[in-house]
Amino acid sequence: MSAPPEEPLLRVLRGAPTPEELAAATAVLLELARRTPAAEEPAPAPVAAANWHRPALTTHRTAASWRR
């Protein structure tokens, strides 16, 4: 049993392009697809922000912290 025919990736709706014009359009589309980031690439991991300037978020207490 043969597989059903696949739909074309590019279809001309109007006009009659020459083979050179189709090749040029295909080259442009391939270059645009190459420049687009792939969806499978993982997002960069978030960088942990330094919290030394936010004392409310730190767990470290100074020796004099009991006085406050």
Side-chain angles (χ1 to χ4, degrees), residues 29-40:
L29 291 174
L30 286 173
E31 179 62 23
L32 289 174
R34 185 187 69 79
R35 290 184 185 182
T36 304
E40 296 87 34

Side-chain angles (χ1 to χ4, degrees), residues 2-56:
S2 63
E6 294 182 22
E7 284 195 34
L9 296 176
L10 181 66
R11 187 172 65 168
V12 178
L13 298 178
R14 297 172 94 182
T18 64
E20 292 83 13
E21 292 171 333
L22 285 176
T26 303
V28 168
L29 291 174
L30 286 173
E31 179 62 23
L32 289 174
R34 185 187 69 79
R35 290 184 185 182
T36 304
E40 296 87 34
E41 292 180 13
V47 178
N51 59 4
W52 57 267
H53 63 284
R54 297 180 287 179

